[in-house]
Amino acid sequence: MQDNLLVTLIVFLSAAVISVPFFKKIGLGSVVGYLIGGIIIGPWGIGLITNVDSILHISEFGVILLLFLIGLELKPQRLWILKKPIFGLGGLQVILTFFFFFTILSFLGMEKSQVIVISISISLSSTAFALQLLGEKNELKTMHGRSVFAILLFQDLAVIPIMAILPFLTESVADPGSQGSIKQVAVATGTILTVILAGRFLARPLFKLVASSGNHEIFTALSLLIVIGASLLMDQVGLSMALGSFLGGVILADSEYRHELESNLEPFKGLFLGLFFLAVGMSINLSEVLKDPILVLFSALILILVKATVLFFIGKISNHSNETSLNLSVTIAQGGEFAFVILGVGVSLSILPKERADLVIAIVTLSMGLTPILGIFKDKIAELIFKKDQNFKEDTIEEQNRVIIAGFGRFGQIIARMLFVHRIGFTALEHNPDQVNVARKFGYKIYYGDASKLSLLRSAGAEQADLFILAIQDIDISIKVAELIKKHFPNLTIIARARNREHVFKLMELGIQIIRRDTFASALELAGETLRKLGFMDSEVEKKIKKFRAHDELTLKGQFQIRNDEKEFIKFSKNSMHQLEVAFEADRQEKEGKLSDQNLSSL
């Protein structure tokens, strides 16, 4: 048995190591790599692994950990703020999608109870697939990423009433059954409250006790115990294990152990998520697909098309842009892992024949496998469509002012507000259509256009302007605009925003004198507040902040001179830090000396 376990692990690791890098290399992403690897090693491929159901069940722990870690990022207060998108977007998506599928399947002449079970099951999406794809593209915190998360969270919550109403669809259910369903809802509600109270009043003292022992391994073990315990408790009362882990994460989100929990569980999440995607690939029943491959493929595409259409509509009525709505529609247009559970219950209650459930499962699984590929096509098409649209919609500028602001994000807006209250005219340029729309809602007069185009700069009055505020966030575009101005408008003074020191050096190479880094001033202010809270007097803090700023400016100029010599750069930076320490130490000793003199004179 031990040998079989080791062989199974070797097979899994080999499939992942070979397929995932290859498919990421050709641009299809890691999820497709896991799926293809799973198909190859599974019972419908070369048959190295046959016990797919048990592996799929174990691998769901990856989804559980993923939801727990996401919960850790959401404090209860923030979750309450999200109630509108969760129940608004999520509820609308499930209801509309169910209605469309119910209508389509009813026309096919299926029994109403079967239509309801299938429509409900395919209305839900895959949490694991969607969040993994968003994470790979760093889109979890984008507008469509937040909408995706809200909808998925509602779907997890919807599983509770869905599982409760399934018994009502069987003709053999009597009144006691309905009472049992009501009892199930009551037990589910009680379990959720139990998890919340246990997390609030039991988990934190346990973590405090274990943390005080200084044993890192036991802390990790306790973290896993809480995640597994909450998930298993939910599973025992017929709820989603993922919902239990998510609730556990939310409860601990504002605890002092949040970051430690994240670092401990992150490796397990990646490992089990990979196993989950491999198991999904292995579960694709190729024999069912090969019975009528055209029907399965066509049905999977219809499933994706219907859900994508509904999601795009929801995005538009939620005031999302076309691009954001398209991203939302493609990300969660697939079927989900909950379909396997709901269809399985449907078979056990004799609502669905097993052959039909297997066919739907094959369709759902294929839709999950197609999602990453469709996402790649979507990115290519969207880039062409929206880039084309942007080129045609560039605004005509009919005014010229003393100041031009390029980049109207958070940085540029603060400068614009200062100019506005002093009644100084400015021309604002922004290349992000979403940002333009948002700024216009707040009353700003802003022009849509690409500041790296010479024609736009001329129409904005760069030849007559006194100042050009370079507030563009993207470093490459920022440098391109700066080069263009230096070449064609050499008398125009540039005041530039820089993301980091590397950006500063590139701007200095162009001869730009006035440069301010994004976070330097705010970080210094916060450092000053920290010193005040530690007992330093206001006059002392102001003096120290002023000295630190001046020293850093000198260091920056020195680093610029040797920026291409890494060895000298590091040596110079260390020496500069030492000089700063010496200077502050001298101040400290001077202060202590004065205090001693005052004490002696008072004696």
Side-chain angles (χ1 to χ4, degrees), residues 82-97 123-124 146-158 310-311 314 318 328 332:
L82 291 173
K83 64 183 183 297
K84 185 175 179 180
I86 290 172
F87 292 97
L89 295 180
L92 194 59
Q93 182 272 325
V94 172
I95 293 170
L96 289 179
T97 309
S123 296
L124 307 180
R146 290 192 292 268
S147 296
V148 164
F149 178 75
I151 292 171
L152 291 174
L153 183 54
F154 178 84
Q155 291 180 3
D156 276 353
L157 293 170
V310 170
L311 287 162
I314 291 172
S318 302
L328 171 65
I332 49 175

PDB file of all heavy atoms in Angstrom, residues 82-97 123-124 146-158 310-311 314 318 328 332:
ATOM      1  N   LEU A  82     -19.686  44.682   0.959  1.00  0.00           N
ATOM      2  CA  LEU A  82     -19.874  43.983  -0.315  1.00  0.00           C
ATOM      3  C   LEU A  82     -21.232  43.291  -0.431  1.00  0.00           C
ATOM      4  O   LEU A  82     -21.459  42.566  -1.406  1.00  0.00           O
ATOM      5  CB  LEU A  82     -18.763  42.942  -0.497  1.00  0.00           C
ATOM      6  CG  LEU A  82     -17.349  43.457  -0.740  1.00  0.00           C
ATOM      7  CD1 LEU A  82     -16.361  42.306  -0.725  1.00  0.00           C
ATOM      8  CD2 LEU A  82     -17.270  44.188  -2.067  1.00  0.00           C
ATOM      9  N   LYS A  83     -22.122  43.502   0.553  1.00  0.00           N
ATOM     10  CA  LYS A  83     -23.396  42.768   0.525  1.00  0.00           C
ATOM     11  C   LYS A  83     -24.207  43.060  -0.726  1.00  0.00           C
ATOM     12  O   LYS A  83     -24.896  42.176  -1.254  1.00  0.00           O
ATOM     13  CB  LYS A  83     -24.211  43.085   1.779  1.00  0.00           C
ATOM     14  CG  LYS A  83     -24.664  44.532   1.930  1.00  0.00           C
ATOM     15  CD  LYS A  83     -25.406  44.729   3.239  1.00  0.00           C
ATOM     16  CE  LYS A  83     -25.929  46.162   3.382  1.00  0.00           C
ATOM     17  NZ  LYS A  83     -24.850  47.157   3.429  1.00  0.00           N
ATOM     18  N   LYS A  84     -24.132  44.285  -1.230  1.00  0.00           N
ATOM     19  CA  LYS A  84     -24.913  44.635  -2.418  1.00  0.00           C
ATOM     20  C   LYS A  84     -24.439  43.881  -3.652  1.00  0.00           C
ATOM     21  O   LYS A  84     -25.257  43.258  -4.344  1.00  0.00           O
ATOM     22  CB  LYS A  84     -24.870  46.141  -2.652  1.00  0.00           C
ATOM     23  CG  LYS A  84     -25.767  46.598  -3.791  1.00  0.00           C
ATOM     24  CD  LYS A  84     -25.779  48.113  -3.915  1.00  0.00           C
ATOM     25  CE  LYS A  84     -26.671  48.553  -5.076  1.00  0.00           C
ATOM     26  NZ  LYS A  84     -26.701  50.037  -5.221  1.00  0.00           N
ATOM     27  N   PRO A  85     -23.126  43.905  -3.995  1.00  0.00           N
ATOM     28  CA  PRO A  85     -22.699  43.107  -5.156  1.00  0.00           C
ATOM     29  C   PRO A  85     -22.866  41.604  -4.954  1.00  0.00           C
ATOM     30  O   PRO A  85     -23.154  40.890  -5.912  1.00  0.00           O
ATOM     31  CB  PRO A  85     -21.224  43.483  -5.328  1.00  0.00           C
ATOM     32  CG  PRO A  85     -20.801  44.103  -4.046  1.00  0.00           C
ATOM     33  CD  PRO A  85     -22.024  44.736  -3.495  1.00  0.00           C
ATOM     34  N   ILE A  86     -22.691  41.123  -3.707  1.00  0.00           N
ATOM     35  CA  ILE A  86     -22.825  39.675  -3.467  1.00  0.00           C
ATOM     36  C   ILE A  86     -24.255  39.224  -3.755  1.00  0.00           C
ATOM     37  O   ILE A  86     -24.482  38.310  -4.556  1.00  0.00           O
ATOM     38  CB  ILE A  86     -22.431  39.328  -2.018  1.00  0.00           C
ATOM     39  CG1 ILE A  86     -20.921  39.497  -1.819  1.00  0.00           C
ATOM     40  CG2 ILE A  86     -22.821  37.879  -1.698  1.00  0.00           C
ATOM     41  CD1 ILE A  86     -20.465  39.363  -0.380  1.00  0.00           C
ATOM     42  N   PHE A  87     -25.233  39.879  -3.126  1.00  0.00           N
ATOM     43  CA  PHE A  87     -26.620  39.448  -3.288  1.00  0.00           C
ATOM     44  C   PHE A  87     -27.261  40.041  -4.546  1.00  0.00           C
ATOM     45  O   PHE A  87     -28.181  39.438  -5.106  1.00  0.00           O
ATOM     46  CB  PHE A  87     -27.429  39.822  -2.043  1.00  0.00           C
ATOM     47  CG  PHE A  87     -27.036  39.040  -0.833  1.00  0.00           C
ATOM     48  CD1 PHE A  87     -26.153  39.564   0.105  1.00  0.00           C
ATOM     49  CD2 PHE A  87     -27.514  37.758  -0.637  1.00  0.00           C
ATOM     50  CE1 PHE A  87     -25.776  38.839   1.220  1.00  0.00           C
ATOM     51  CE2 PHE A  87     -27.131  37.013   0.473  1.00  0.00           C
ATOM     52  CZ  PHE A  87     -26.257  37.551   1.396  1.00  0.00           C
ATOM     53  N   GLY A  88     -26.781  41.207  -4.988  1.00  0.00           N
ATOM     54  CA  GLY A  88     -27.322  41.806  -6.206  1.00  0.00           C
ATOM     55  C   GLY A  88     -26.818  41.099  -7.458  1.00  0.00           C
ATOM     56  O   GLY A  88     -27.582  40.477  -8.205  1.00  0.00           O
ATOM     57  N   LEU A  89     -25.497  41.182  -7.678  1.00  0.00           N
ATOM     58  CA  LEU A  89     -24.908  40.539  -8.856  1.00  0.00           C
ATOM     59  C   LEU A  89     -25.074  39.033  -8.804  1.00  0.00           C
ATOM     60  O   LEU A  89     -25.478  38.399  -9.789  1.00  0.00           O
ATOM     61  CB  LEU A  89     -23.420  40.895  -8.955  1.00  0.00           C
ATOM     62  CG  LEU A  89     -23.044  42.352  -9.202  1.00  0.00           C
ATOM     63  CD1 LEU A  89     -21.535  42.498  -9.257  1.00  0.00           C
ATOM     64  CD2 LEU A  89     -23.665  42.850 -10.486  1.00  0.00           C
ATOM     65  N   GLY A  90     -24.741  38.437  -7.644  1.00  0.00           N
ATOM     66  CA  GLY A  90     -24.798  36.987  -7.511  1.00  0.00           C
ATOM     67  C   GLY A  90     -26.200  36.444  -7.681  1.00  0.00           C
ATOM     68  O   GLY A  90     -26.443  35.475  -8.416  1.00  0.00           O
ATOM     69  N   GLY A  91     -27.169  37.076  -7.001  1.00  0.00           N
ATOM     70  CA  GLY A  91     -28.550  36.617  -7.104  1.00  0.00           C
ATOM     71  C   GLY A  91     -29.092  36.739  -8.512  1.00  0.00           C
ATOM     72  O   GLY A  91     -29.756  35.829  -9.028  1.00  0.00           O
ATOM     73  N   LEU A  92     -28.797  37.864  -9.154  1.00  0.00           N
ATOM     74  CA  LEU A  92     -29.266  38.081 -10.525  1.00  0.00           C
ATOM     75  C   LEU A  92     -28.660  37.063 -11.485  1.00  0.00           C
ATOM     76  O   LEU A  92     -29.356  36.532 -12.370  1.00  0.00           O
ATOM     77  CB  LEU A  92     -28.908  39.504 -10.965  1.00  0.00           C
ATOM     78  CG  LEU A  92     -29.602  40.037 -12.224  1.00  0.00           C
ATOM     79  CD1 LEU A  92     -31.112  40.033 -12.060  1.00  0.00           C
ATOM     80  CD2 LEU A  92     -29.091  41.432 -12.543  1.00  0.00           C
ATOM     81  N   GLN A  93     -27.367  36.766 -11.300  1.00  0.00           N
ATOM     82  CA  GLN A  93     -26.712  35.794 -12.192  1.00  0.00           C
ATOM     83  C   GLN A  93     -27.339  34.412 -12.073  1.00  0.00           C
ATOM     84  O   GLN A  93     -27.664  33.775 -13.086  1.00  0.00           O
ATOM     85  CB  GLN A  93     -25.218  35.721 -11.863  1.00  0.00           C
ATOM     86  CG  GLN A  93     -24.423  34.779 -12.757  1.00  0.00           C
ATOM     87  CD  GLN A  93     -24.396  33.340 -12.260  1.00  0.00           C
ATOM     88  OE1 GLN A  93     -24.367  33.100 -11.055  1.00  0.00           O
ATOM     89  NE2 GLN A  93     -24.392  32.391 -13.178  1.00  0.00           N
ATOM     90  N   VAL A  94     -27.534  33.946 -10.853  1.00  0.00           N
ATOM     91  CA  VAL A  94     -28.090  32.603 -10.659  1.00  0.00           C
ATOM     92  C   VAL A  94     -29.518  32.530 -11.187  1.00  0.00           C
ATOM     93  O   VAL A  94     -29.889  31.578 -11.897  1.00  0.00           O
ATOM     94  CB  VAL A  94     -28.044  32.212  -9.165  1.00  0.00           C
ATOM     95  CG1 VAL A  94     -28.802  30.910  -8.924  1.00  0.00           C
ATOM     96  CG2 VAL A  94     -26.597  32.060  -8.704  1.00  0.00           C
ATOM     97  N   ILE A  95     -30.346  33.537 -10.900  1.00  0.00           N
ATOM     98  CA  ILE A  95     -31.753  33.522 -11.321  1.00  0.00           C
ATOM     99  C   ILE A  95     -31.874  33.579 -12.845  1.00  0.00           C
ATOM    100  O   ILE A  95     -32.611  32.787 -13.456  1.00  0.00           O
ATOM    101  CB  ILE A  95     -32.521  34.691 -10.673  1.00  0.00           C
ATOM    102  CG1 ILE A  95     -32.621  34.470  -9.155  1.00  0.00           C
ATOM    103  CG2 ILE A  95     -33.914  34.842 -11.276  1.00  0.00           C
ATOM    104  CD1 ILE A  95     -33.134  35.677  -8.393  1.00  0.00           C
ATOM    105  N   LEU A  96     -31.170  34.524 -13.475  1.00  0.00           N
ATOM    106  CA  LEU A  96     -31.274  34.659 -14.931  1.00  0.00           C
ATOM    107  C   LEU A  96     -30.727  33.435 -15.658  1.00  0.00           C
ATOM    108  O   LEU A  96     -31.321  32.958 -16.635  1.00  0.00           O
ATOM    109  CB  LEU A  96     -30.531  35.919 -15.388  1.00  0.00           C
ATOM    110  CG  LEU A  96     -31.174  37.267 -15.035  1.00  0.00           C
ATOM    111  CD1 LEU A  96     -30.317  38.417 -15.530  1.00  0.00           C
ATOM    112  CD2 LEU A  96     -32.574  37.365 -15.620  1.00  0.00           C
ATOM    113  N   THR A  97     -29.557  32.940 -15.187  1.00  0.00           N
ATOM    114  CA  THR A  97     -28.966  31.772 -15.840  1.00  0.00           C
ATOM    115  C   THR A  97     -29.883  30.562 -15.699  1.00  0.00           C
ATOM    116  O   THR A  97     -30.093  29.815 -16.668  1.00  0.00           O
ATOM    117  CB  THR A  97     -27.586  31.458 -15.233  1.00  0.00           C
ATOM    118  OG1 THR A  97     -26.792  32.638 -15.216  1.00  0.00           O
ATOM    119  CG2 THR A  97     -26.859  30.411 -16.069  1.00  0.00           C
ATOM    120  N   SER A 123     -25.956  26.352 -13.574  1.00  0.00           N
ATOM    121  CA  SER A 123     -25.981  27.804 -13.352  1.00  0.00           C
ATOM    122  C   SER A 123     -24.813  28.255 -12.482  1.00  0.00           C
ATOM    123  O   SER A 123     -24.456  29.437 -12.488  1.00  0.00           O
ATOM    124  CB  SER A 123     -27.297  28.216 -12.683  1.00  0.00           C
ATOM    125  OG  SER A 123     -28.390  27.956 -13.529  1.00  0.00           O
ATOM    126  N   LEU A 124     -24.226  27.325 -11.735  1.00  0.00           N
ATOM    127  CA  LEU A 124     -23.111  27.648 -10.842  1.00  0.00           C
ATOM    128  C   LEU A 124     -21.787  27.524 -11.586  1.00  0.00           C
ATOM    129  O   LEU A 124     -21.666  26.754 -12.539  1.00  0.00           O
ATOM    130  CB  LEU A 124     -23.130  26.719  -9.628  1.00  0.00           C
ATOM    131  CG  LEU A 124     -24.459  26.656  -8.861  1.00  0.00           C
ATOM    132  CD1 LEU A 124     -24.346  25.713  -7.684  1.00  0.00           C
ATOM    133  CD2 LEU A 124     -24.893  28.042  -8.409  1.00  0.00           C
ATOM    134  N   ARG A 146     -13.389  41.698  -8.597  1.00  0.00           N
ATOM    135  CA  ARG A 146     -14.237  41.836  -7.410  1.00  0.00           C
ATOM    136  C   ARG A 146     -15.666  41.360  -7.691  1.00  0.00           C
ATOM    137  O   ARG A 146     -16.310  40.748  -6.835  1.00  0.00           O
ATOM    138  CB  ARG A 146     -14.243  43.296  -6.930  1.00  0.00           C
ATOM    139  CG  ARG A 146     -12.921  43.756  -6.326  1.00  0.00           C
ATOM    140  CD  ARG A 146     -13.082  45.085  -5.624  1.00  0.00           C
ATOM    141  NE  ARG A 146     -13.352  46.158  -6.565  1.00  0.00           N
ATOM    142  CZ  ARG A 146     -12.424  46.920  -7.126  1.00  0.00           C
ATOM    143  NH1 ARG A 146     -11.145  46.716  -6.836  1.00  0.00           N
ATOM    144  NH2 ARG A 146     -12.748  47.879  -7.965  1.00  0.00           N
ATOM    145  N   SER A 147     -16.150  41.636  -8.910  1.00  0.00           N
ATOM    146  CA  SER A 147     -17.496  41.184  -9.281  1.00  0.00           C
ATOM    147  C   SER A 147     -17.548  39.662  -9.367  1.00  0.00           C
ATOM    148  O   SER A 147     -18.523  39.037  -8.931  1.00  0.00           O
ATOM    149  CB  SER A 147     -17.919  41.802 -10.614  1.00  0.00           C
ATOM    150  OG  SER A 147     -18.016  43.207 -10.521  1.00  0.00           O
ATOM    151  N   VAL A 148     -16.507  39.062  -9.942  1.00  0.00           N
ATOM    152  CA  VAL A 148     -16.425  37.605 -10.020  1.00  0.00           C
ATOM    153  C   VAL A 148     -16.478  37.003  -8.625  1.00  0.00           C
ATOM    154  O   VAL A 148     -17.217  36.042  -8.367  1.00  0.00           O
ATOM    155  CB  VAL A 148     -15.137  37.169 -10.750  1.00  0.00           C
ATOM    156  CG1 VAL A 148     -14.840  35.687 -10.504  1.00  0.00           C
ATOM    157  CG2 VAL A 148     -15.257  37.422 -12.247  1.00  0.00           C
ATOM    158  N   PHE A 149     -15.693  37.567  -7.716  1.00  0.00           N
ATOM    159  CA  PHE A 149     -15.653  37.038  -6.347  1.00  0.00           C
ATOM    160  C   PHE A 149     -17.011  37.152  -5.677  1.00  0.00           C
ATOM    161  O   PHE A 149     -17.451  36.229  -4.982  1.00  0.00           O
ATOM    162  CB  PHE A 149     -14.594  37.776  -5.536  1.00  0.00           C
ATOM    163  CG  PHE A 149     -14.519  37.321  -4.112  1.00  0.00           C
ATOM    164  CD1 PHE A 149     -13.927  36.115  -3.790  1.00  0.00           C
ATOM    165  CD2 PHE A 149     -15.069  38.079  -3.091  1.00  0.00           C
ATOM    166  CE1 PHE A 149     -13.876  35.679  -2.468  1.00  0.00           C
ATOM    167  CE2 PHE A 149     -15.019  37.666  -1.784  1.00  0.00           C
ATOM    168  CZ  PHE A 149     -14.417  36.450  -1.468  1.00  0.00           C
ATOM    169  N   ALA A 150     -17.699  38.279  -5.867  1.00  0.00           N
ATOM    170  CA  ALA A 150     -19.017  38.473  -5.253  1.00  0.00           C
ATOM    171  C   ALA A 150     -20.013  37.430  -5.765  1.00  0.00           C
ATOM    172  O   ALA A 150     -20.777  36.854  -4.983  1.00  0.00           O
ATOM    173  CB  ALA A 150     -19.523  39.886  -5.558  1.00  0.00           C
ATOM    174  N   ILE A 151     -19.996  37.187  -7.059  1.00  0.00           N
ATOM    175  CA  ILE A 151     -20.925  36.204  -7.641  1.00  0.00           C
ATOM    176  C   ILE A 151     -20.607  34.802  -7.143  1.00  0.00           C
ATOM    177  O   ILE A 151     -21.512  34.028  -6.792  1.00  0.00           O
ATOM    178  CB  ILE A 151     -20.869  36.275  -9.183  1.00  0.00           C
ATOM    179  CG1 ILE A 151     -21.455  37.607  -9.671  1.00  0.00           C
ATOM    180  CG2 ILE A 151     -21.628  35.108  -9.812  1.00  0.00           C
ATOM    181  CD1 ILE A 151     -21.269  37.872 -11.144  1.00  0.00           C
ATOM    182  N   LEU A 152     -19.333  34.458  -7.111  1.00  0.00           N
ATOM    183  CA  LEU A 152     -18.937  33.126  -6.641  1.00  0.00           C
ATOM    184  C   LEU A 152     -19.308  32.919  -5.171  1.00  0.00           C
ATOM    185  O   LEU A 152     -19.715  31.819  -4.772  1.00  0.00           O
ATOM    186  CB  LEU A 152     -17.435  32.922  -6.843  1.00  0.00           C
ATOM    187  CG  LEU A 152     -16.955  32.795  -8.288  1.00  0.00           C
ATOM    188  CD1 LEU A 152     -15.437  32.757  -8.343  1.00  0.00           C
ATOM    189  CD2 LEU A 152     -17.520  31.547  -8.951  1.00  0.00           C
ATOM    190  N   LEU A 153     -19.160  33.968  -4.376  1.00  0.00           N
ATOM    191  CA  LEU A 153     -19.509  33.851  -2.966  1.00  0.00           C
ATOM    192  C   LEU A 153     -21.012  33.618  -2.797  1.00  0.00           C
ATOM    193  O   LEU A 153     -21.441  32.805  -1.974  1.00  0.00           O
ATOM    194  CB  LEU A 153     -19.074  35.109  -2.209  1.00  0.00           C
ATOM    195  CG  LEU A 153     -19.307  35.104  -0.695  1.00  0.00           C
ATOM    196  CD1 LEU A 153     -18.672  33.890  -0.037  1.00  0.00           C
ATOM    197  CD2 LEU A 153     -18.771  36.387  -0.074  1.00  0.00           C
ATOM    198  N   PHE A 154     -21.814  34.327  -3.598  1.00  0.00           N
ATOM    199  CA  PHE A 154     -23.257  34.095  -3.532  1.00  0.00           C
ATOM    200  C   PHE A 154     -23.595  32.660  -3.936  1.00  0.00           C
ATOM    201  O   PHE A 154     -24.481  32.029  -3.336  1.00  0.00           O
ATOM    202  CB  PHE A 154     -24.007  35.069  -4.439  1.00  0.00           C
ATOM    203  CG  PHE A 154     -25.492  34.833  -4.443  1.00  0.00           C
ATOM    204  CD1 PHE A 154     -26.300  35.378  -3.457  1.00  0.00           C
ATOM    205  CD2 PHE A 154     -26.084  34.038  -5.418  1.00  0.00           C
ATOM    206  CE1 PHE A 154     -27.668  35.145  -3.442  1.00  0.00           C
ATOM    207  CE2 PHE A 154     -27.444  33.790  -5.413  1.00  0.00           C
ATOM    208  CZ  PHE A 154     -28.245  34.351  -4.427  1.00  0.00           C
ATOM    209  N   GLN A 155     -22.911  32.156  -4.953  1.00  0.00           N
ATOM    210  CA  GLN A 155     -23.166  30.778  -5.386  1.00  0.00           C
ATOM    211  C   GLN A 155     -22.861  29.786  -4.267  1.00  0.00           C
ATOM    212  O   GLN A 155     -23.594  28.803  -4.075  1.00  0.00           O
ATOM    213  CB  GLN A 155     -22.333  30.464  -6.633  1.00  0.00           C
ATOM    214  CG  GLN A 155     -22.784  31.203  -7.876  1.00  0.00           C
ATOM    215  CD  GLN A 155     -21.941  30.866  -9.096  1.00  0.00           C
ATOM    216  OE1 GLN A 155     -21.039  30.029  -9.035  1.00  0.00           O
ATOM    217  NE2 GLN A 155     -22.216  31.506 -10.210  1.00  0.00           N
ATOM    218  N   ASP A 156     -21.785  30.029  -3.539  1.00  0.00           N
ATOM    219  CA  ASP A 156     -21.477  29.157  -2.397  1.00  0.00           C
ATOM    220  C   ASP A 156     -22.606  29.199  -1.358  1.00  0.00           C
ATOM    221  O   ASP A 156     -22.991  28.173  -0.789  1.00  0.00           O
ATOM    222  CB  ASP A 156     -20.155  29.579  -1.743  1.00  0.00           C
ATOM    223  CG  ASP A 156     -18.955  28.969  -2.448  1.00  0.00           C
ATOM    224  OD1 ASP A 156     -19.173  28.131  -3.333  1.00  0.00           O
ATOM    225  OD2 ASP A 156     -17.822  29.343  -2.127  1.00  0.00           O
ATOM    226  N   LEU A 157     -23.120  30.425  -1.112  1.00  0.00           N
ATOM    227  CA  LEU A 157     -24.220  30.568  -0.157  1.00  0.00           C
ATOM    228  C   LEU A 157     -25.506  29.921  -0.693  1.00  0.00           C
ATOM    229  O   LEU A 157     -26.292  29.361   0.069  1.00  0.00           O
ATOM    230  CB  LEU A 157     -24.473  32.052   0.127  1.00  0.00           C
ATOM    231  CG  LEU A 157     -23.363  32.806   0.863  1.00  0.00           C
ATOM    232  CD1 LEU A 157     -23.634  34.303   0.852  1.00  0.00           C
ATOM    233  CD2 LEU A 157     -23.226  32.316   2.294  1.00  0.00           C
ATOM    234  N   ALA A 158     -25.702  29.983  -2.015  1.00  0.00           N
ATOM    235  CA  ALA A 158     -26.920  29.447  -2.633  1.00  0.00           C
ATOM    236  C   ALA A 158     -26.996  27.929  -2.550  1.00  0.00           C
ATOM    237  O   ALA A 158     -28.087  27.354  -2.666  1.00  0.00           O
ATOM    238  CB  ALA A 158     -27.001  29.898  -4.087  1.00  0.00           C
ATOM    239  N   VAL A 310     -25.434  36.236 -20.181  1.00  0.00           N
ATOM    240  CA  VAL A 310     -26.075  36.720 -18.951  1.00  0.00           C
ATOM    241  C   VAL A 310     -25.108  37.581 -18.146  1.00  0.00           C
ATOM    242  O   VAL A 310     -25.468  38.663 -17.656  1.00  0.00           O
ATOM    243  CB  VAL A 310     -26.579  35.527 -18.106  1.00  0.00           C
ATOM    244  CG1 VAL A 310     -27.018  36.001 -16.720  1.00  0.00           C
ATOM    245  CG2 VAL A 310     -27.719  34.820 -18.805  1.00  0.00           C
ATOM    246  N   LEU A 311     -23.874  37.112 -18.010  1.00  0.00           N
ATOM    247  CA  LEU A 311     -22.876  37.832 -17.216  1.00  0.00           C
ATOM    248  C   LEU A 311     -22.514  39.173 -17.857  1.00  0.00           C
ATOM    249  O   LEU A 311     -22.304  40.164 -17.148  1.00  0.00           O
ATOM    250  CB  LEU A 311     -21.628  36.967 -17.047  1.00  0.00           C
ATOM    251  CG  LEU A 311     -21.791  35.785 -16.084  1.00  0.00           C
ATOM    252  CD1 LEU A 311     -20.702  34.747 -16.314  1.00  0.00           C
ATOM    253  CD2 LEU A 311     -21.767  36.264 -14.642  1.00  0.00           C
ATOM    254  N   ILE A 314     -25.295  41.514 -17.048  1.00  0.00           N
ATOM    255  CA  ILE A 314     -25.203  41.937 -15.644  1.00  0.00           C
ATOM    256  C   ILE A 314     -24.103  42.980 -15.474  1.00  0.00           C
ATOM    257  O   ILE A 314     -24.256  43.968 -14.740  1.00  0.00           O
ATOM    258  CB  ILE A 314     -24.939  40.718 -14.739  1.00  0.00           C
ATOM    259  CG1 ILE A 314     -26.177  39.823 -14.695  1.00  0.00           C
ATOM    260  CG2 ILE A 314     -24.559  41.147 -13.319  1.00  0.00           C
ATOM    261  CD1 ILE A 314     -25.951  38.504 -13.987  1.00  0.00           C
ATOM    262  N   SER A 318     -24.578  46.973 -14.343  1.00  0.00           N
ATOM    263  CA  SER A 318     -23.843  47.368 -13.132  1.00  0.00           C
ATOM    264  C   SER A 318     -22.858  48.498 -13.427  1.00  0.00           C
ATOM    265  O   SER A 318     -21.971  48.786 -12.629  1.00  0.00           O
ATOM    266  CB  SER A 318     -23.082  46.168 -12.560  1.00  0.00           C
ATOM    267  OG  SER A 318     -23.955  45.118 -12.260  1.00  0.00           O
ATOM    268  N   LEU A 328     -15.582  39.774 -17.153  1.00  0.00           N
ATOM    269  CA  LEU A 328     -16.468  39.112 -16.201  1.00  0.00           C
ATOM    270  C   LEU A 328     -17.171  37.924 -16.839  1.00  0.00           C
ATOM    271  O   LEU A 328     -17.232  36.836 -16.263  1.00  0.00           O
ATOM    272  CB  LEU A 328     -17.494  40.121 -15.684  1.00  0.00           C
ATOM    273  CG  LEU A 328     -18.660  39.576 -14.840  1.00  0.00           C
ATOM    274  CD1 LEU A 328     -18.143  38.992 -13.538  1.00  0.00           C
ATOM    275  CD2 LEU A 328     -19.684  40.676 -14.571  1.00  0.00           C
ATOM    276  N   ILE A 332     -16.213  33.410 -15.587  1.00  0.00           N
ATOM    277  CA  ILE A 332     -17.049  32.441 -14.866  1.00  0.00           C
ATOM    278  C   ILE A 332     -18.195  31.924 -15.750  1.00  0.00           C
ATOM    279  O   ILE A 332     -19.300  31.656 -15.278  1.00  0.00           O
ATOM    280  CB  ILE A 332     -17.608  33.029 -13.552  1.00  0.00           C
ATOM    281  CG1 ILE A 332     -18.244  34.403 -13.779  1.00  0.00           C
ATOM    282  CG2 ILE A 332     -16.559  33.085 -12.497  1.00  0.00           C
ATOM    283  CD1 ILE A 332     -18.920  34.962 -12.535  1.00  0.00           C
TER     284      ILE A 332
END
